[in-house]
């Protein structure tokens, strides 16, 4: 017996089942496309491997020049494409690069020798591919339009969607065309040497299934050439001839008669490639109609459980990647530069929001302090608070830190011991909330989204509303009664780029240094009066600023934050036990060395590991004095050795991390050698008999090219001068002008030498091909002209079909095929134009032809140059950061390191001591999944998220990489409370 409750459940289940079946909620999988790709790949391997390997090697050209050219060509293409292998970059650029490389690589190999020895006539394959590809696209587009019309009037099922993706049609056409080309390249007209269909009933191929013939078939399999002949003549043979299909005979492209010598008469045999194409198109149409008319969802239904499992599998957070600081195409970075220029030069920002806040607060002195002082934690005997800074760069790193902050408690390792730390009552964020500039989008996606995933906002929170009374609590309750975690933020320099328009016995002063690196007069007045009126002699003070001026002043040989120093030295007078800052994205703690003089600040702590890219620590390893007080580095994360090792990534990973730099680097290199194209005098390099002679002549020519740029060129010299100015300005200003000039000249010289070497290699390759009559032999449409001659010989057209198609399409056929094929004649265009310039001068070419020449040169030079410019620039950054300790910001922002993230948790104990823990994770997960514990926990609509045992939505896709399991304590120390009777107490390190 089924109860009403069970019946309702079953009804719901059935409806969900029906909804799952009938709703087109997931992409059509295109099984035939995947199967076709597999079939084509297997076919290619079979046909190529069917040739005897030993014979293949013997047929290869033994000339060292061709081997060298192939090695250089494929080597450069590999270096260009290597960052996109196992890519972590945008698929759009990866796809563009893949197609771009395929295009110009095929265009280059098309004109090089030795591929006929592999049974691959590249010109035949390429020309056939383009012709069949265009024909297939036209034919399938017409078919899909007809099918769409039938769908629209209701003659086919509407269940499984109305149309496929355009890219899928193009993919199917490509697969179909490749299959036809592979077949014809290895079979040709041998498919016509076959028995008639009725005589093939007892073919030996079907004897494979007979036990007595099995060994014979295996022997044939081992003899690959015989097997290939059987495949060509039996499996892919045309079905019948033109006489068998009289109604279609005038549409048939006939095949060349397979005979030796002259063949009398004309053949009515159907071309094998046409037959194969028609077969594939027919299979595609039949498969598509069956699947779509019956409905993919009806023939492949998903159960409710499978659908929910698939839905969960597809769920993942939409985090943004680390900011590409070296992107030449990012509008955000241009906006950042503009905002920084305006904020620094135009009245310290467009409008100082602090002035408006001060004016709005000047009603009564008491009210002003009440608005700015939050002492609702003052009655607590035991208090926990966290400090983090510099979040909102990469989503993975920001969420990893936010997930740790949100947990009710953390178990962290310190050596062999385990510490359990409860969640803090207060979170203090030291600025730079979202990179690269403050906007609604960056704050929402880079700051709020990761933190809301880690700890969902309370029910009364409304994103479209602002809180007038900060912080706002529900139902008019007092802030003191609210037991949930709270957060206060100090603005940083990135938050100031738009003028901030988007933004207890222990005392914590949050000082806003804006873009001046110091507090203004309003803040100084407020805090100095606060010290006089509120802060007791035995109180302890923590000062938080956005920027660690003690380190930056030491590095830049500067003296900033004079008002802050005045406040600490002359007003607090030793009561500042700890000064903290972010801005530098690492962790370092310096503690004072006991001396006879006064100690104004006991500990200096930097922790900017909240989610932004990593900064080095080894650059600041020699810092030891601030305000005439000696300090000792007690902790650094990452360690100095690890920091030096990480810097090596600039050589190995610069381009992979900064692939957008291609757009800048390739153009810069091309401008540097623009005036050197074409370089006609290369005979002295090729005429040497020894390898050392070739090398000497080669580099001698490089030097002569450098002199030519200085003496004769205009464009290249202007580009080199502009690059030298940029390189000089790029060197940090802490270096003397003389050293800046030397570093800039060496940097530009390395780039110019690399560009000249690449230019000369490209010119040598073209020159060798011209001398061996592989290029500059026919003109600008060599592939199309060759194909027309082959077409008339191998694909006769006795009915004049091609002429009629040309008439019906008003010349689009064969014009579109002609210009499509010309895209693969780029090396020929380059060689023909180069020969004309070398013989008659540049003035002999029209402006259009000259532009075409330089465009064709750039297509290849860009591929050669982009990996090299990244290598040279990355090596420059590595040398500067590890040897000269320069470019600490530029050399590590290039690496976009999401790892080594940390925050600091403070515990004010009941006895007045301050215990400090810095928690860190070495490796941040790159993939996340829905946390089953979060999903399985019972949630009530009005329950606050901080009351849950599992408040964070996502956990690491690989459980052992989850930050909750890898978090560790990298620094732990205790600051003892100030004692009136014994003010000379010494802060202690915990016993390990």
């Amino acid at each position: 017996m089924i109860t009403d409750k069970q019946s309702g459940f079953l009804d719901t289940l059935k409806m969900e089942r029906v909804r799952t079946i009938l709703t087109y909620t997931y992409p059509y999988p295109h099984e035939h496309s995947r199967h076709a790709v597999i079939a084509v790949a297997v076919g290619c391997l079979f046909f190529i491997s069917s040739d005897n390997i030993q014979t293949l090697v013997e047929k290869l050209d033994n000339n060292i020049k061709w081997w060298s050219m192939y090695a250089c060509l494929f080597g450069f293409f590999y270096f260009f494409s290597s960052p996109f292998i196992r890519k972590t970059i945008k698929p759009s650029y990866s796809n563009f690069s893949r197609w771009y490389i395929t295009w110009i690589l095929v265009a280059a190999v098309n004109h090089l020798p030795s591929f006929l020895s592999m049974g691959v006539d590249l010109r035949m394959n390429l020309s056939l591919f383009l012709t069949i590809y265009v024909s297939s696209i036209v034919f399938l587009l017409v078919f899909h339009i007809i099918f769409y019309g039938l769908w629209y009037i209701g003659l086919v099922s509407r269940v499984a969607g109305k149309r496929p993706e355009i890219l899928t049609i193009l993919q199917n056409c490509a697969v179909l065309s490749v299959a036809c080309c592979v077949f014809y390249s290895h079979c040709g007209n041998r498919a016509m040497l076959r028995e008639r269909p009725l005589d093939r009933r007892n073919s030996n191929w079907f004897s494979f299934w007979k036990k007595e013939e099995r060994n014979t078939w295996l022997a044939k399999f081992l003899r690959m050439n015989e097997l290939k002949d059987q495949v060509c003549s039996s499996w892919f043979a045309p079905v019948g001839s033109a006489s068998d299909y009289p109604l279609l005979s005038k549409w048939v492209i006939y095949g060349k008669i397979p005979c030796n010598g002259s063949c009398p008469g004309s053949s009515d045999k159907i071309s094998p490639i046409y037959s194969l194409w028609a077969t594939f198109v027919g299979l595609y149409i039949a498969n598509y109609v069956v699947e779509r008319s019956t409905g993919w969802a009806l023939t492949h239904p998903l159960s409710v459980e499978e659908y929910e499992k698939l839905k969960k599998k597809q769920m993942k957070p939409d985090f943004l990647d680390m900011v590409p600081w070296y992107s030449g195409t990012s509008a955000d970075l241009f906006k950042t530069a503009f905002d920084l220029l305006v904020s620094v030069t135009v009245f310290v920002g467009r409008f100082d929001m602090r002035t408006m806040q001060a004016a709005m607060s000047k009603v009564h002195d008491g009210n002003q302090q009440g608005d700015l002082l939050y002492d609702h934690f003052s009655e607590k005997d035991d208090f926990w608070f966290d400090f983090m800074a510099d979040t909102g760069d990469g989503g993975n790193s920001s969420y990893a830190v936010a997930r740790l902050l949100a947990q009710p408690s953390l178990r962290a390792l310190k050596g062999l011991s385990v510490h359990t730390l409860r969640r803090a009552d207060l979170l203090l964020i030291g600025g730079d909330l979202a990179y690269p500039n403050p906007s609604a989008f960056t704050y929402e996606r880079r700051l709020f989204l990761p933190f809301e995933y880690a700890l969902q906002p309370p029910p009364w929170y409304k994103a479209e509303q602002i809180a007038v009374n900060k912080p706002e609590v529900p139902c008019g309750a007092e802030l003191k009664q609210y037991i949930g975690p709270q957060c206060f933020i100090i603005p940083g320099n990135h938050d100031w780029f738009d003028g901030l328009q988007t933004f207890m016995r222990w005392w914590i002063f949050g000082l806003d240094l804006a873009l001046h690196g110091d507090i203004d007069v309003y803040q100084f007045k407020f805090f100095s009066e606060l010290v006089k009126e509120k802060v007791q002699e035995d109180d302890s003070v923590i000062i938080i600023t956005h920027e660690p001026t003690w380190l930056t002043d030491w590095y830049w040989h500067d003296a900033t934050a004079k008002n802050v120093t005045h406040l600490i030295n002359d007003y607090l007078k030793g009561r500042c036990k700890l000064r903290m800052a972010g801005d530098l994205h690492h962790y370092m703690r310096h503690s004072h060395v006991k001396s006879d003089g006064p100690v104004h600040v006991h500990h200096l702590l930097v922790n900017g590991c909240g989610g932004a890219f990593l900064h080095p620590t080894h650059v600041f390893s020699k810092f030891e004095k601030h305000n005439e007080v000696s300090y000792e580095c007690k902790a650094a994360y990452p360690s100095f050795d690890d920091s030096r090792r990480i810097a090596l990534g600039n050589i190995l990973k610069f381009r992979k991390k900064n692939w957008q730099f291609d757009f800048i680097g390739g153009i810069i290199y091309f401008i540097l050698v623009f005036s050197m194209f074409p370089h006609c005098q290369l005979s002295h390099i090729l005429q040497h008999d020894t390898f050392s002679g070739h090398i000497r002549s080669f580099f001698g020519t490089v030097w002569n090219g450098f002199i030519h740029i200085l003496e004769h060129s205009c464009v290249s010299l202007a580009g080199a001068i502009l690059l030298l100015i940029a390189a000089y300005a790029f060197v940090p200003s802490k270096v003397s002008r003389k050293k800046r000039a030397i570093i800039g000249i060496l940097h530009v010289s390395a780039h110019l030498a690399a560009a000249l070497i690449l230019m000369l290699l490209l010119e040598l390759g073209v020159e060798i091909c011209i001398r061996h009559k592989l290029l500059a032999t026919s003109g600008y449409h060599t592939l199309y002209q060759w194909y027309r001659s082959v077409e008339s010989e191998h694909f006769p057209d006795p009915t004049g079909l091609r002429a009629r198609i040309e008439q019906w399409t008003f010349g689009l056929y064969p014009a579109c095929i002609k210009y499509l094929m010309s895209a693969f004649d780029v090396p020929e265009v380059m060689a023909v134009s180069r020969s004309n310039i070398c013989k008659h001068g540049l003035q002999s070419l029209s402006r259009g032809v000259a532009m075409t020449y330089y465009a064709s040169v750039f297509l290849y030079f860009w591929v050669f140059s982009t990996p090299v410019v990244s290598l040279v620039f990355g090596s420059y950054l590595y040398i500067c950061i590890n040897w000269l300790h320069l470019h600490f910001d530029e050399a590590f922002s290039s690496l976009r390191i999401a790892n080594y993230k940390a925050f600091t948790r403070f515990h004010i104990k009941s006895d007045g001591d301050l215990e400090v823990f810095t928690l860190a994770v070495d490796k941040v997960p790159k993939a996340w999944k829905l946390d089953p514990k979060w999903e399985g926990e019972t949630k009530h609509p009005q329950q606050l998220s901080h009351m849950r045992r599992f408040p964070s939505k996502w956990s690491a896709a690989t459980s052992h990489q989850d930050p909750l399991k890898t978090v560790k304590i990298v620094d732990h120390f205790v600051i003892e409370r100030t004692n009136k009777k014994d003010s000379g107490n010494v802060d202690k390190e915990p016993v390990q």
Side-chain angles (χ1 to χ4, degrees), residues 680-711:
C680 302
Q681 300 175 359
L682 299 173
S683 301
H684 61 289
I685 300 178
L686 300 175
Q687 288 175 355
H688 279 281
D689 296 330
T690 63
F691 181 75
S692 59
H694 288 301
I695 296 298
R696 285 194 302 270
S697 297
F698 180 87
F699 284 102
T701 307
V702 171
W703 173 253
N704 294 334
F706 176 73
I707 300 300
H708 176 82
I709 290 176
L710 295 179
E711 294 180 349

Side-chain angles (χ1 to χ4, degrees), residues 937-958:
E937 185 177 6
T938 303
K939 303 177 183 67
H940 303 288
Q942 297 302 318
Q943 183 186 16
L944 300 179
S945 56
H946 72 271
M947 302 297 293
R948 299 171 186 163
R949 292 180 57 198
F950 309 103
S952 300
K953 185 175 183 178
W954 308 105
S955 61
T958 305

Side-chain angles (χ1 to χ4, degrees), residues 100 104 662-671 674 677 762 826 830 851-866:
Y100 182 85
I104 58 176
D662 286 357
F663 296 98
I664 300 176
I667 293 175
I668 289 176
Y669 267 35
F670 186 67
I671 292 175
F674 178 83
F677 287 108
L762 179 60
V826 173
M830 183 167 51
M851 293 177 63
T852 303
Y853 166 70
Y854 284 109
S856 62
V857 169
F858 177 75
L859 290 174
Y860 283 95
F861 189 78
W862 189 62
V863 173
F864 296 166
S865 62
T866 47

Side-chain angles (χ1 to χ4, degrees), residues 315-335:
M315 290 182 66
K316 58 182 180 179
D318 186 19
F319 289 147
L320 296 179
D321 199 2
M322 307 290 286
V323 174
W325 295 101
Y326 285 86
S327 171
T329 60
S330 174
D332 280 340
L333 297 183
F334 287 112
K335 181 179 183 300

Side-chain angles (χ1 to χ4, degrees), residues 348 352 354 491-493 496 512-518 523 546-547:
V348 195
D352 195 334
R354 294 173 307 187
N493 57 305
W496 260 98
D512 181 4
L513 303 185
L515 294 172
H516 278 314
D518 203 353
Q523 291 187 81
H546 165 66
E547 185 178 0

